[in-house]
Amino acid sequence: MNKYSTIQRKILVEYLEKHHDFALSAARIAEDLAGENISVSAVYRNLAALEEEGAVRRMAKSGERLAYYQYVGMEKCRNRIHLSCTSCGRSFHLDVKEADGLAEALLETEGFEINREETVLKGLCAECRAQG
Amino acid sequence: MNKYSTIQRKILVEYLEKHHDFALSAARIAEDLAGENISVSAVYRNLAALEEEGAVRRMAKSGERLAYYQYVGMEKCRNRIHLSCTSCGRSFHLDVKEADGLAEALLETEGFEINREETVLKGLCAECRAQG
DNA sequence: CTAGTTGCAAAGAGTTTGCATGGCG
DNA sequence: CGCCATGCAAACTCTTTGCAACTAG
């Protein structure tokens, strides 16, 4: 059950690592990897496995019905709240200190304990905002 | 294009209003309304229409692939950031002042302009947290 | 009347699964 | 050599769509 137990898994993980700052739909991933030595079902099965291992995060875009996946297997992604730009689709991490502040404030005022792994803040990133 | 132009629309909207603090899947809604005088396709078509009108918000739960809908047609839901409890599934509104603070902080420190309509913070509500 | 909405049933998209094959350790 | 992952294709689920009948205004 190693990270690279099979060639297919390696292909998928390397692809995901390369695109770790985007949330991509499973269908899109499968399509992109169509030329490679990995089948559609292997893509889906490995995504599910990686999700269970915590290396991949499953999310969804509002207005779409596809399952979106994002690689969060690298250190810098762990325990971070994500910011997702609805214009360019890129994903950013919220600074730890800020996230702590937000989490604390929510807990005190609302009694709500935020789950950083699942929380995605939607909006416009600085770049897209500048471009109008 | 009134709110209650047809009986089917009325049935759906009343159902949604009654469950406005939950995000329900379209499939579930259709199922619940199976006994009523409304067909599956009318449910889907009206949900899409209501979404466009802004009366309904489409979201998604992580780990699931269904489209979830929540009624936000009432005044108290507008322009609010939602808090969604991953345990009981209920949805809460973030107080306006707090939301303003959060939005401002994000804009200043990250240059990220949050979209309240689309943002859902995931975690545990006070009640579920108390119950362990 | 006329435009817009419905219900039905069939099509579609994305995802999942059964089973035989094949490769990793 | 045994077991787990793969590929293929068929099955599934949820959602969308075409079309004729119907309904609200």
Side-chain angles (χ1 to χ4, degrees), chain B residues 42-81:
Chain B
V43 168
Y44 279 95
R45 280 197 264 238
N46 275 307
L47 281 174
L50 289 167
E51 183 189 7
E52 212 159 275
E53 293 168 24
V56 134
R57 199 175 289 174
R58 186 184 207 163
M59 44 186 73
K61 298 196 177 178
S62 64
E64 300 195 25
R65 57 206 160 336
L66 298 78
Y68 278 80
Y69 289 91
Q70 184 163 10
Y71 193 70
V72 292
M74 45 247 304
E75 188 53 42
K76 65 173 181 176
C77 296
R78 299 205 170 284
N79 199 32
R80 296 285 172 83
I81 289 173

